[in-house]
Amino acid sequence: MTTKFTQDHEYIRIEGSTGIVGITNYAQEQLGDIVFVELPAVGTVLKKGDEAAVVESVKAASEIYAPVSGEVVEVNSLLTDAPGTLNSDAENTGWMFKIAISEASEIEKLLDADGYAELTL
């Protein structure tokens, strides 16, 4: 299992040909208390960089972008009823959607953990 990051503060945890996508702990800290999450519909086909979801906090609304191209195969419905899960556990139970990766080569262009850590210093 490999985890990669975007410069927009999304993570993608790679499990075979599926990616589990969410926002990083750094992103949720910057947003503050999250009050609403709009998730993509299962079956939505996304290209890398497409807007996939929206997170609203007491400070602002932020678009969440697809880190790679593919089809949304599952969403975390827990976030609909409990959007604050992103504040309490963004990188585990707060995952947002799973995507069937269609362009595996795009993964290599994402940041590794060290690269992301440098970005958030």
Side-chain angles (χ1 to χ4, degrees), residues 37 39 74-83 85 93 95-97:
V37 177
L39 298 170
E74 186 177 347
V75 297
N76 187 355
S77 57
L78 168 69
L79 297 178
T80 304
D81 294 331
T85 303
T93 56
W95 64 274
M96 299 179 76
F97 61 92

Side-chain angles (χ1 to χ4, degrees), residues 26-117:
Y26 176 84
Q28 66 83 17
E29 288 173 1
Q30 298 303 307
L31 287 167
D33 291 336
I34 295 170
V35 296
F36 179 77
V37 177
E38 181 180 324
L39 298 170
V42 172
T44 301
V45 176
L46 299 167
K47 290 187 177 181
K48 179 181 178 177
D50 282 354
E51 183 180 317
V54 176
V55 174
E56 290 184 22
S57 71
V58 294
K59 292 182 180 176
S62 295
E63 293 80 21
I64 307 303
Y65 302 102
V68 296
S69 300
E71 179 179 346
V72 176
V73 294
E74 186 177 347
V75 297
N76 187 355
S77 57
L78 168 69
L79 297 178
T80 304
D81 294 331
T85 303
L86 284 172
N87 291 118
S88 62
D89 197 16
E91 296 187 17
N92 291 297
T93 56
W95 64 274
M96 299 179 76
F97 61 92
K98 295 182 180 181
I99 189 167
I101 300 166
S102 63
E103 299 289 335
S105 62
E106 293 172 347
I107 296 167
E108 300 306 317
K109 297 174 183 166
L110 299 171
L111 299 169
D112 61 15
D114 290 341
Y116 184 71

Side-chain angles (χ1 to χ4, degrees), residues 9-40:
H9 309 291
E10 293 98 4
Y11 69 83
I12 181 167
R13 198 166 45 238
I14 311 297
E15 293 183 354
S17 60
T18 301
I20 301 171
V21 179
I23 62 171
T24 64
N25 280 324
Y26 176 84
Q28 66 83 17
E29 288 173 1
Q30 298 303 307
L31 287 167
D33 291 336
I34 295 170
V35 296
F36 179 77
V37 177
E38 181 180 324
L39 298 170

Side-chain angles (χ1 to χ4, degrees), residues 2-6 91 110-120:
T2 300
T3 302
K4 295 284 194 164
F5 302 88
T6 71
E91 296 187 17
L110 299 171
L111 299 169
D112 61 15
D114 290 341
Y116 184 71
E118 289 179 23
L119 180 71
T120 58

